[in-house]
Amino acid sequence: MKWNLIFLDKVESTNDVAASLPRGSCVVAKEQTKARGRMGRKWISLRGNLFFSLVLKSYGAQTPMLSFVLSLSIAEVLKKFDAKIKWPNDVLIDGKKVCGILLENLGETVVAGVGINTQNAPITDVLYPTTSLNGEIENNILLQNILDAFDLNMMLFETEGFQKIKEKWLSYSKGVGKEIVICLPNEKVKGEFVGLTDEGAVQLRTNDLCCRLITAGDVFFLDERKKE
Ligand code: BTN
């Protein structure tokens, strides 16, 4: 895809700017003053880090799969840092969050916003520790590499469906086959992370007889959980 790159200095949120632009736009900003993350959280946007939003077409019921295509592409580009994906779409290095993705469905189009801590790891009140790439990759080079990887994976998604993406995604995902805890709004569920459904839900084996499907929540790995 020929991306129309729009470079801005300071915006409230690249997702908001992207929302009124046509498909194929990629909005990049140096700073965001009101960036948001998943589940109504804030995304602290320190100058120097990479923030961008892509305007994509909607894939109807398959739209949530776009965040798997995107997190897979970012993990591939950050492979030399041994990046892993934490379901649904956080990218981790050394078990700490380096990148977050927020997909917003606008009907005809979808905005996929990406924040990567390329220079600084903000201290957040979020339950999960953060890290940065320490300036080891220049932002524009990283962005171009991600767009190239995303284009290839989107081709795979469009020709072969989610199955192939899922296989690749699982090869980068952290915690498959291990015990994890998923925090839901009113409950914590513990079990073995068996795999993903074709809708991108986690299959969590909670006991010998039961596998629960979880569609939204925060994953924690048992060895790394912060004390509550
Ligand atoms: C998360 O992990 O909670 C998702 C974070 C997504 C942050 C990015 S930064 C660029 C884009 N603009 C926003 O306001 N949010 C996304």
Side-chain angles (χ1 to χ4, degrees), residues 151-221:
D151 286 343
L152 287 177
N153 283 319
M154 278 306 290
M155 226 140 49
L156 193 64
F157 176 58
E158 289 189 338
T159 52
E160 309 212 15
F162 184 54
Q163 194 59 39
K164 266 274 170 322
I165 296 294
K166 185 168 101 171
E167 276 169 32
K168 287 177 82 182
W169 187 96
L170 282 168
S171 74
Y172 282 93
S173 103
K174 187 170 155 82
V176 180
K178 303 224 171 86
E179 285 274 300
I180 60 171
V181 170
I182 304 188
C183 294
L184 308 174
N186 300 313
E187 152 187 44
K188 286 180 187 173
V189 210
K190 189 168 155 183
E192 183 197 340
F193 182 2
V194 177
L196 283 187
T197 65
D198 287 343
E199 292 71 42
V202 169
Q203 296 164 314
L204 196 70
R205 191 186 312 286
T206 46
N207 63 47
D208 285 349
L209 298 174
C210 185
C211 215
R212 264 182 82 166
L213 299 185
I214 313 277
T215 54
D218 285 312
V219 168
F220 292 89
F221 306 102

Side-chain angles (χ1 to χ4, degrees), residues 77-78 80-81 118-119 133 135-139 141-142 145:
V77 169
L78 299 180
K80 67 172 180 185
F81 297 97
T118 51
Q119 303 273 350
L133 299 177
E136 284 188 45
I137 310 187
E138 202 274 317
N139 282 359
I141 293 173
L142 177 60
N145 290 344

Side-chain angles (χ1 to χ4, degrees), residues 4-189:
N4 179 25
L5 293 163
I6 299 150
F7 291 96
L8 302 171
D9 189 65
K10 196 197 262 194
V11 297
E12 289 196 345
S13 157
T14 53
N15 270 29
D16 289 342
V17 179
S20 57
L21 294 175
R23 224 181 105 197
S25 306
C26 170
V27 180
V28 193
K30 290 211 163 90
E31 197 178 332
Q32 301 182 106
T33 53
K34 266 194 200 164
R36 51 186 181 273
R38 286 176 60 239
M39 305 195 176
R41 294 176 186 136
K42 286 188 188 151
W43 183 261
I44 300 170
S45 301
L46 303 174
R47 203 166 256 269
N49 288 343
L50 176 61
F51 316 109
F52 65 93
S53 299
L54 305 176
V55 187
L56 306 165
K57 76 167 184 192
S58 165
Y59 285 78
Q62 290 272 85
T63 293
M65 271 59 259
L66 296 174
S67 78
F68 290 87
V69 180
L70 194 48
S71 55
L72 163 65
S73 308
I74 294 167
E76 284 177 341
V77 169
L78 299 180
K79 192 180 171 133
K80 67 172 180 185
F81 297 97
D82 198 23
K84 298 279 176 239
I85 310 169
K86 178 166 90 75
W87 181 86
N89 52 35
D90 289 347
V91 181
L92 310 178
I93 291 176
D94 282 338
K96 298 176 191 147
K97 181 160 167 170
V98 74
C99 164
I101 296 173
L102 177 67
L103 205 69
E104 294 182 317
N105 202 334
L106 307 177
E108 296 273 286
T109 58
V110 175
V111 171
V114 178
I116 306 183
N117 301 332
T118 51
Q119 303 273 350
N120 314 290
I123 298 162
T124 67
D125 52 1
V126 179
L127 297 159
Y128 222 76
T130 55
T131 189
S132 88
L133 299 177
N134 259 319
E136 284 188 45
I137 310 187
E138 202 274 317
N139 282 359
N140 287 340
I141 293 173
L142 177 60
L143 173 63
Q144 195 51 59
N145 290 344
I146 291 170
L147 293 178
D148 291 345
F150 183 65
D151 286 343
L152 287 177
N153 283 319
M154 278 306 290
M155 226 140 49
L156 193 64
F157 176 58
E158 289 189 338
T159 52
E160 309 212 15
F162 184 54
Q163 194 59 39
K164 266 274 170 322
I165 296 294
K166 185 168 101 171
E167 276 169 32
K168 287 177 82 182
W169 187 96
L170 282 168
S171 74
Y172 282 93
S173 103
K174 187 170 155 82
V176 180
K178 303 224 171 86
E179 285 274 300
I180 60 171
V181 170
I182 304 188
C183 294
L184 308 174
N186 300 313
E187 152 187 44
K188 286 180 187 173
V189 210

